[in-house]
Amino acid sequence: MKIIIKIAKNELLNLFYSPVAWFLVIAFMVQCGLYYTGNLYTWANLQDLYLKNIPSWKNWGTVSVTQETFLGGDGIFVNVLTNLFLFIPLLCMGLISREINNGTIKLLYSSPVKVRDIVLGKYLAIMLFNLLLLAILGIFMVSGAFNIKSVDYGLLLSASLGFYLMVCAFTAIGLFLSSLTTYPIVSAIGTFITLFILSRIGGLWQKYDFLRDLTNFLSMSGRTVKMLKGLITTKDILYFVLIVYLFLSFTYFKLKGTREAGPWYIKARGYLVVSVLVLGFGYLGSLPAYTLYWDATARQANTIDPKVQQMIRDMGKDKLEVTLYTNLLGKGGTAGLPEARNAYLSTMWEPYVRFKPDIDFNYSYYYAYHPWMDDSVGYKSFAGKSVREMADLMAHGMEVSLSKFMPEEEMVKTTNLAPENFRLVMQLKYNGQSTFLRTFDDGMFWPNEMQVAAALKRLQQARMPKLLFVTGDLERSIYKHGEREYQLHTLQRLYRVSLINLGFDADSVNLETQDIPAGITALVLADPKKDLSAVSQAKIRQYIDGGGNMLILGEPGKQYVLNPVLQELGVQLKEGILVEPSKEEMPHMVKPYLTAAFSRFADEPEFIEMREGGKSLKGLMPGAAAVSVDRPELFNVSPLLASAGDKTWLKAGKLVTDSTPPEFSPKEGDIKGPFPTAVALTRHSGDHEQKIIVCGDADFLSNLRSGGGSIGRAIYSWLDDNKFPIYTPKEQPKDNLLLVTPGGAAAEKIVYVWVLPAITLLIGTILLIRRKRK
């Protein structure tokens, strides 16, 4: 050990007396300073602008300033890791090649120093030098602790660990390449090429299972991605340890082979044994069953919600089977091909495999095409071709073998994917139950935690919450795509937050010919255009008297249709239409405020922010009637949405929307607000609480209005006693505010970009001059 330390000490002195090393340190310091102060100055200016011009602005909300400053697109860690290809080859090029070129290696060989001590001593020196680079990063992390409120230390420490492990792996490779040649520049070029190959090898030969797993293990690309997000895994740490061991062993075998004579196959044996050991341990260590995780972030940003964790724990040791169905001619097909499998598993499933490592993943490939599918471009491009010919041409273009893909007629024998539009979809099976988990045509593509949680619940419970929409009197339809209808937020499979993707079942019922079944979550009566028959009213009355939940939505001009039903509830839709003139919208486009009571209905992100003292929220109701409560003794009444009193009035006469803005006219019967546009009615009924919501507008839930967004989901969630959707909100980051002004950020830029590097340059110059004199 003493010999190793002595060699490390001498090598470390050589590095400190090397002009190249000092140049790299100063360049590294300037680079870090530029990225840190650049981000700091940008965010400080934006924050100062908001504070001066927006009185209600308090902080960055859901934005982690630590993440954006250090780990964003222009963050320090991301950029220095990207540029390590330039630093490390120059730093390591003379570690051993200099000894060989100067002939001093012969002195080491002739001394009683073991080859192992030489290798470990030199590597210990470079590891200590790497700590200097980490210490430079530490300067900016300490600065960030003073400049950012409640800085996320766990995130920074995780990123630092990833940086240090990456640098140590790179320098181990550089040490080995330095032992192969007598010319340092050749060593630097060889190191650069090796690092380039290891960073790109993960994208090679991904179509073949064995080679894909092998190249994925060898690839350095993305190995620090999780650590930069604050997630530390044993398989990533093991990878860097094995890479260091592999190349240090190679260096040892190279130096020992130069010192000792022997046949080539004897020398090659060591390389082969070490390679097999590294690949074997790497493979075992990457298995989900042997992988440990630590989310170092302050708010557990990389960990699935505790509710979802509990669902997975409830599965116990029973097998969960996931089959990915990939249609060669369907939407999203490229994301399901073999070359995309590693990305699919890491992006989509690793957060869940962390808690259930025995998930069984299967893959099914087929080809099917119909003109009604959502990818009409393919049909037009291959006009006149049979489905088989289309598939053959597509397979040739993607460089895949068509023999791996089943024709549609063979695939439908096991699974009918026609309702899923033959697009990329996952089927989950558990204890005899199965459900589909869909992909979506948005920026995320893969389902998020809410959709996965809903799918897991479908596998675990026999009945899901069911909504019945009344039909037969020209109500809004859950089956039509028109802009006034309700298909988007109920049954649209391709809409991420539709009810069917959030755990609800939806169906329709014609009260003239059908009875309301027992056990449903709620009955929805959405804007009937005709008077309800006595039969329909009697069934609704019976359902309400029995304690059933209900959502009733009306429209101005048709109050008379719903008021007979609402009379039994002690509420009415007032005659007239609400008017709210504004510069942006037509006068009938009312923007009611959400009440504090409504903000407690569900854990929608906007609702949580409002509950925690954030800004007030508004909805948009394009044509709304006011709701009045005539008999408050029948129910407990809570207004949910209310118009602004000083800007809104109830217009009694005819409203003209395409002319000059209307004026308030008491003579015509206009009444100033505020008016509730939606109210919640509750009362105890048997062993449960009966819940009814009455809205004076039905358009806000329409396809055109995206199903009401968070307001619509909150309504359905409350009617289901908040069992579905399964909300998975993340804790709002506490590091969402800067404590530095733009002037302070500008001063820090001068210090970190100019003063500190200048001081370092001066110290390095003095040391080098004194060394040269000696």
Side-chain angles (χ1 to χ4, degrees):
M1 179 58 70
K2 291 182 179 180
I3 295 175
I4 294 175
I5 295 175
K6 186 174 182 180
I7 293 174
K9 180 180 177 181
N10 292 334
E11 190 63 46
L12 194 60
L13 288 175
N14 287 334
L15 287 171
F16 275 111
Y17 289 128
S18 168
V20 174
W22 278 101
F23 169 77
L24 293 177
V25 167
I26 295 171
F28 184 80
M29 186 178 295
V30 171
Q31 181 190 28
C32 292
L34 284 172
Y35 285 115
Y36 172 73
T37 56
N39 276 338
L40 191 68
Y41 186 73
T42 300
W43 281 90
N45 272 282
L46 284 173
Q47 178 171 297
D48 187 62
L49 183 66
Y50 290 157
L51 286 171
K52 290 179 178 178
N53 295 281
I54 306 176
S56 62
W57 194 89
K58 296 181 179 179
N59 53 51
W60 290 103
T62 59
V63 176
S64 167
V65 180
T66 307
Q67 175 77 38
E68 294 299 324
T69 304
F70 287 91
L71 304 164
D74 288 329
I76 296 179
F77 284 96
V78 173
N79 284 280
V80 297
L81 285 173
T82 303
N83 295 326
L84 281 179
F85 291 100
L86 304 176
F87 287 95
I88 300 304
L90 295 176
L91 185 64
C92 301
M93 63 182 182
L95 288 176
I96 296 178
S97 61
R98 182 182 63 250
E99 305 275 6
I100 300 174
N101 192 30
N102 295 337
T104 52
I105 193 70
K106 295 179 181 179
L107 295 176
L108 289 174
Y109 285 162
S110 61
S111 65
V113 177
K114 297 179 181 179
V115 175
R116 179 192 62 191
D117 296 338
I118 297 173
V119 174
L120 293 179
K122 287 183 174 293
Y123 188 69
L124 177 60
I126 199 66
M127 284 183 66
L128 295 174
F129 192 85
N130 292 340
L131 287 176
L132 174 62
L133 301 180
L134 185 62
I136 293 174
L137 283 173
I139 294 173
F140 299 99
M141 288 189 286
V142 171
S143 176
F146 288 99
N147 291 326
I148 301 172
K149 176 186 176 182
S150 303
V151 67
D152 194 338
Y153 294 103
L155 184 63
L156 294 179
L157 293 176
S158 174
S160 301
L161 176 62
F163 168 80
Y164 187 69
L165 290 175
M166 179 70 86
V167 176
C168 288
F170 279 12
T171 49
I173 296 170
L175 182 66
F176 170 63
L177 268 296
S178 180
S179 70
L180 298 180
T181 177
T182 59
Y183 302 102
I185 191 63
V186 175
S187 169
I189 295 173
T191 303
F192 178 82
I193 294 173
T194 304
L195 295 179
F196 179 80
I197 292 173
L198 288 177
S199 67
R200 296 293 186 269
I201 196 172
L204 301 177
W205 309 303
Q206 296 298 290
K207 300 174 184 177
Y208 313 102
D209 292 344
F210 173 75
L211 292 177
R212 179 176 58 251
D213 294 337
L214 178 62
T215 56
N216 182 60
F217 168 74
L218 293 175
S219 175
M220 282 191 170
S221 178
R223 285 291 177 177
T224 57
V225 170
K226 293 186 183 68
M227 294 187 196
L228 294 182
K229 294 180 179 179
L231 183 63
I232 301 172
T233 67
T234 54
K235 65 179 179 182
D236 287 335
I237 295 177
L238 180 63
Y239 169 81
F240 289 114
V241 172
L242 291 176
I243 288 294
V244 170
Y245 171 74
L246 178 70
F247 284 96
L248 290 185
S249 299
F250 284 179
T251 308
Y252 170 77
F253 293 139
K254 174 62 177 67
L255 295 180
K256 188 176 181 181
T258 304
R259 188 176 185 179
E260 300 175 355
W264 67 269
Y265 54 86
I266 295 296
K267 296 180 180 180
R269 182 177 58 188
Y271 292 95
L272 180 62
V273 171
V274 169
S275 299
V276 171
L277 286 175
V278 167
L279 291 175
F281 279 107
Y283 174 75
L284 292 175
S286 64
L287 292 176
Y290 302 117
T291 302
L292 301 177
Y293 298 81
W294 178 34
D295 190 346
T297 59
R299 59 191 183 106
Q300 297 295 288
N302 303 296
T303 306
I304 58 177
D305 190 91
K307 295 188 291 292
V308 185
Q309 294 180 37
Q310 185 59 48
M311 292 180 207
I312 294 175
R313 280 193 291 267
D314 291 341
M315 289 183 166
K317 296 183 179 180
D318 295 333
K319 184 69 68 176
L320 172 62
E321 181 181 340
V322 179
T323 302
L324 180 66
Y325 287 95
T326 303
N327 181 7
L328 183 64
L329 302 175
K331 270 291 188 70
T334 54
L337 294 177
E339 51 262 41
R341 188 172 299 173
N342 287 329
Y344 158 68
L345 292 174
S346 61
T347 303
M348 175 64 225
W349 286 109
E350 188 168 11
Y352 308 96
V353 171
R354 171 182 173 183
F355 297 95
K356 188 172 179 57
D358 61 344
I359 298 178
D360 188 11
F361 293 100
N362 300 312
Y363 306 90
S364 180
Y365 301 98
Y366 70 99
Y367 60 89
Y369 202 88
H370 296 276
W372 47 261
M373 288 169 56
D374 55 4
D375 186 11
S376 60
V377 177
Y379 179 72
K380 294 176 182 177
S381 302
F382 297 111
K385 302 286 186 183
S386 66
V387 175
R388 169 77 187 201
E389 290 171 332
M390 292 167 60
D392 189 49
L393 289 172
M394 189 67 73
H396 180 74
M398 293 183 176
E399 298 181 352
V400 295
S401 174
L402 187 60
S403 61
K404 293 183 178 180
F405 294 82
M406 298 181 293
E408 177 187 352
E409 51 270 20
E410 183 178 344
M411 185 272 299
V412 296
K413 294 178 182 178
T414 57
T415 307
N416 181 18
L417 295 177
E420 302 298 327
N421 263 29
F422 294 110
R423 60 182 287 124
L424 188 74
V425 68
M426 292 159 281
Q427 186 179 41
L428 278 57
K429 294 182 179 179
Y430 170 77
N431 280 352
Q433 300 292 324
S434 69
T435 188
F436 285 109
L437 189 57
R438 302 171 181 92
T439 56
F440 308 97
D441 295 330
D442 54 24
M444 295 179 63
F445 184 73
W446 297 108
N448 60 26
E449 207 170 325
M450 286 181 70
Q451 287 87 48
V452 175
L456 294 177
K457 270 296 184 183
R458 281 189 182 274
L459 297 175
Q460 293 177 315
Q461 62 186 49
R463 295 181 60 184
M464 301 298 287
K466 189 169 186 177
L467 301 168
L468 275 186
F469 289 75
V470 177
T471 186
D473 293 299
L474 302 179
E475 293 90 350
R476 307 294 175 104
S477 172
I478 61 174
Y479 306 109
K480 295 180 180 180
H481 299 271
E483 67 177 42
R484 70 180 296 276
E485 311 299 344
Y486 282 6
Q487 191 263 353
L488 180 67
H489 81 275
T490 55
L491 298 179
Q492 176 55 265
R493 288 176 168 84
L494 302 183
Y495 187 46
R496 179 181 296 276
V497 289
S498 67
L499 295 177
I500 194 174
N501 289 320
L502 297 178
F504 288 89
D505 289 331
D507 204 347
S508 61
V509 58
N510 189 326
L511 298 183
E512 288 293 322
T513 59
Q514 296 173 286
D515 293 328
I516 302 173
I520 65 171
T521 300
L523 183 69
V524 182
L525 179 58
D527 187 26
K529 299 292 187 297
K530 299 188 301 182
D531 291 335
L532 299 178
S533 67
V535 174
S536 298
Q537 291 190 44
K539 290 180 178 179
I540 292 174
R541 189 179 303 111
Q542 182 181 6
Y543 173 76
I544 293 174
D545 292 341
N549 297 339
M550 197 165 180
L551 172 60
I552 304 173
L553 305 110
E555 278 287 309
K558 295 188 289 293
Q559 292 93 331
Y560 65 90
V561 178
L562 286 178
N563 278 339
V565 176
L566 297 177
Q567 186 177 2
E568 302 295 326
L569 305 176
V571 299
Q572 290 282 277
L573 296 181
K574 296 178 72 68
E575 293 298 325
I577 182 172
L578 289 174
V579 174
E580 185 178 340
S582 67
K583 295 181 181 179
E584 295 83 12
E585 300 285 358
M586 291 185 289
H588 69 291
M589 307 287 274
V590 181
K591 295 181 180 178
Y593 286 90
L594 274 70
T595 64
F598 197 10
S599 71
R600 293 189 290 271
F601 267 33
D603 286 335
E604 289 287 333
E606 299 93 337
F607 285 34
I608 294 176
E609 184 180 358
M610 183 177 172
R611 293 199 298 263
E612 293 177 352
K615 62 181 180 180
S616 58
L617 299 176
K618 290 183 178 181
L620 176 61
M621 289 189 162
V627 182
S628 67
V629 180
D630 299 334
R631 299 176 63 191
E633 71 277 5
L634 295 181
F635 287 88
N636 298 316
V637 182
S638 297
L640 304 181
L641 294 162
S643 64
D646 56 337
K647 299 179 181 179
T648 310
W649 67 86
L650 185 63
K651 186 168 184 58
K654 182 180 180 181
L655 174 65
V656 180
T657 60
D658 59 351
S659 183
T660 57
E663 295 182 358
F664 176 69
S665 177
K667 294 180 180 180
E668 296 181 3
D670 294 353
I671 306 173
K672 279 283 188 180
F675 297 99
T677 60
V679 298
L681 311 176
T682 60
R683 68 181 177 186
H684 290 288
S685 177
D687 58 352
H688 72 284
E689 185 179 47
Q690 184 180 17
K691 300 179 177 181
I692 299 174
I693 292 179
V694 179
C695 296
D697 176 48
D699 286 331
F700 81 100
L701 288 181
S702 66
N703 294 336
L704 181 65
R705 304 295 171 184
S706 301
S710 58
I711 293 177
R713 291 190 297 274
I715 288 174
Y716 291 118
S717 176
W718 183 72
L719 291 172
D720 188 42
D721 298 326
N722 300 119
K723 297 175 184 176
F724 288 89
I726 301 172
Y727 291 100
T728 57
K730 294 295 183 184
E731 180 185 348
Q732 183 169 298
K734 297 179 180 178
D735 56 331
N736 56 7
L737 189 68
L738 278 174
L739 303 177
V740 64
T741 63
E748 288 190 23
K749 183 175 183 179
I750 296 174
V751 173
Y752 291 137
V753 177
W754 297 102
V755 177
L756 195 58
I759 294 174
T760 306
L761 177 61
L762 179 63
I763 294 172
T765 303
I766 295 173
L767 285 176
L768 293 175
I769 292 175
R770 289 174 61 88
R771 174 69 173 179
K772 188 175 182 180
R773 287 177 178 177
K774 292 182 179 181

